[in-house]
Amino acid sequence: AYEISCVTGVQTCALSDLQILHLLAAVLGYSHSLSSSYFVKTDSHAISKRQAPGGDNIRITKLHVRSEIQFRYARTTVESYIKNFGSVTETTQFQAILPENAFVSNFSMIVGETEYVAEVKSKDEAKAEFDSQVEDGLGAGLVEQDARDANLFKIRTSIEPTEKVIFRLTYDELLERSLGLYEHTIHVQPGQIVDDFKIIVNINESLPITSLNVLELEKENEISPSSKTSSIATVTRDEEDNSKGSIVYKISKKYQKDAGKKGIQGAFKVQYDVDRTNQTNEVQVIDGYFVHFFTPENLKVLPKHIIFVLDISGSMGGEKLQQLKDA
């Protein structure tokens, strides 16, 4: 603590280092370089509250997701436009949840007119290089995969003051047919209200599309999947080619705000099937790879061995355990 004389020149008071900085800032009228979350109020000076770096300075101004589905193979590109409205370099985190069977095929960061494509390095080497770039006040991005949740990818980034950065993530997946339908899922959780938020899905199949449905947003923790048709999706079927279709989600700010302060969080699902009359199998060849689809009809029901697991651990205490007993 320091001792400093008050205005009267008689009394003294003990102040911490941080309070000394605040008081000096009040005397000098210089407050923009301090990074604390608030300032003290003295007898002769009232300093307005100031937010620390990392508050509302980093904002997603535009989020576009585009999926191209061709012959039941989907390639999805997520483009996130993030701007630093603050006066210092700050670090933020962008999370992307991938479908269970998808894999990342590209990640890049666009600053100005230059696109920087990610390199694959060992975890420790990549982390050390990222920290070094951030310490030097330079823009950098780090993609991390959570070992416990293989379909969750984290992109940590540093953004220089007033800079706008575009993060482009591309992932691929082969769609699987279940209960008579192919399903394409896009997980969204921007964590804030986005001004320009759009999802586009284009379908180009080798066979005529017999059914095409877009489900209402499904929250990640819902036990029973949604079966309602989306109220905001626009579905268009090609009149000249019945093997093509497109879906557009234009997500308004009002729709996001109605979901909560952090906007929408959940999964958009597109379900469709193709006409395979008198065709129980099909081979597709693209870029040197092939996939053989088998869809036999009227098979005998296979015998099943079913195991029920009854959980009576502490987390089941109360209503959940009673519901388990009733069931």
Side-chain angles (χ1 to χ4, degrees):
Y2 295 86
E3 260 192 14
I4 122 174
S5 295
C6 295
V7 178
T8 60
V10 178
Q11 297 175 319
T12 61
C13 54
L15 299 174
S16 68
D17 290 353
L18 186 58
Q19 288 173 318
I20 288 288
L21 287 175
H22 289 166
L23 187 55
L24 289 174
V27 173
L28 298 175
Y30 185 76
S31 62
H32 70 272
S33 65
L34 299 181
S35 60
S36 60
S37 59
Y38 62 90
F39 287 118
V40 296
K41 182 178 180 182
T42 64
D43 291 339
S44 56
H45 297 276
I47 308 298
S48 61
K49 201 167 183 180
R50 178 182 181 275
Q51 209 165 33
D56 295 331
N57 293 334
I58 299 291
R59 294 204 297 272
I60 303 173
T61 59
K62 182 177 177 181
L63 182 58
H64 284 188
V65 183
R66 189 181 190 92
S67 287
E68 299 291 341
I69 302 175
Q70 185 172 12
F71 309 150
R72 280 135 281 175
Y73 185 87
R75 172 163 291 174
T76 303
T77 300
V78 182
E79 285 191 350
S80 180
Y81 293 64
I82 303 179
K83 185 172 182 178
N84 180 1
F85 290 88
S87 59
V88 296
T89 299
E90 297 189 20
T91 301
T92 187
Q93 178 171 288
F94 170 74
Q95 293 189 13
I97 300 178
L98 276 60
E100 186 176 353
N101 297 320
F103 62 93
V104 173
S105 54
N106 182 68
F107 169 68
S108 62
M109 180 172 66
I110 302 172
V111 182
E113 301 297 325
T114 306
E115 181 173 7
Y116 302 92
V117 181
E119 297 179 6
V120 179
K121 296 187 176 184
S122 67
K123 182 178 180 180
D124 293 339
E125 184 182 1
K127 179 68 166 56
E129 186 168 336
F130 173 79
D131 291 341
S132 176
Q133 293 282 332
V134 173
E135 188 174 336
D136 292 338
L138 302 175
L142 179 66
V143 181
E144 297 178 314
Q145 179 177 1
D146 191 332
R148 295 182 59 188
D149 192 354
N151 65 340
L152 174 61
F153 285 80
K154 299 177 183 179
I155 303 172
R156 287 203 298 138
T157 64
S158 64
I159 306 178
E160 297 179 40
T162 70
E163 284 289 343
K164 180 180 71 175
V165 183
I166 303 173
F167 299 100
R168 182 177 292 154
L169 177 68
T170 302
Y171 61 86
D172 295 32
E173 65 170 323
L174 179 66
L175 303 183
E176 295 183 356
R177 191 168 185 260
S178 177
L179 300 178
L181 293 170
Y182 292 98
E183 186 173 272
H184 178 54
T185 302
I186 297 175
H187 299 271
V188 291
Q189 52 166 18
Q192 58 183 268
I193 307 298
V194 181
D195 293 336
D196 185 357
F197 197 170
K198 185 187 294 184
I199 299 175
I200 298 176
V201 179
N202 293 320
I203 303 174
N204 179 22
E205 277 298 340
S206 58
L207 299 172
I209 298 174
T210 56
S211 63
L212 177 57
N213 187 33
V214 184
L215 301 181
E216 194 65 85
L217 177 70
E218 178 182 308
K219 295 182 179 178
E220 301 292 351
N221 60 352
E222 283 185 342
I223 297 176
S224 301
S226 174
S227 59
K228 296 181 179 179
T229 300
S230 173
S231 59
I232 64 170
T234 302
V235 180
T236 305
R237 302 285 292 269
D238 194 312
E239 295 181 359
E240 297 181 357
D241 189 346
N242 57 8
S243 64
K244 295 181 179 180
S246 64
I247 299 98
V248 177
Y249 301 94
K250 196 170 182 181
I251 309 165
S252 66
K253 293 178 70 173
K254 181 181 182 304
Y255 184 89
Q256 298 175 62
K257 289 177 180 178
D258 289 343
K261 292 182 179 180
K262 293 187 176 181
I264 60 175
Q265 299 186 46
F268 286 101
K269 293 187 176 182
V270 175
Q271 295 178 337
Y272 74 96
D273 198 18
V274 295
D275 184 6
R276 49 178 62 80
T277 304
N278 300 323
Q279 187 171 339
T280 58
N281 70 93
E282 179 186 10
V283 178
Q284 296 287 351
V285 180
I286 302 176
D287 296 334
Y289 295 88
F290 79 92
V291 59
H292 194 168
F293 293 99
F294 292 93
T295 53
E297 302 289 344
N298 302 320
L299 289 178
K300 288 180 60 178
V301 177
L302 298 176
K304 300 175 180 64
H305 185 191
I306 301 175
I307 299 175
F308 292 95
V309 180
L310 309 182
D311 181 10
I312 58 170
S313 62
S315 63
M316 292 290 291
E319 184 181 2
K320 289 186 289 186
L321 188 57
Q322 185 58 48
Q323 290 176 336
L324 175 62
K325 291 178 180 180
D326 293 343

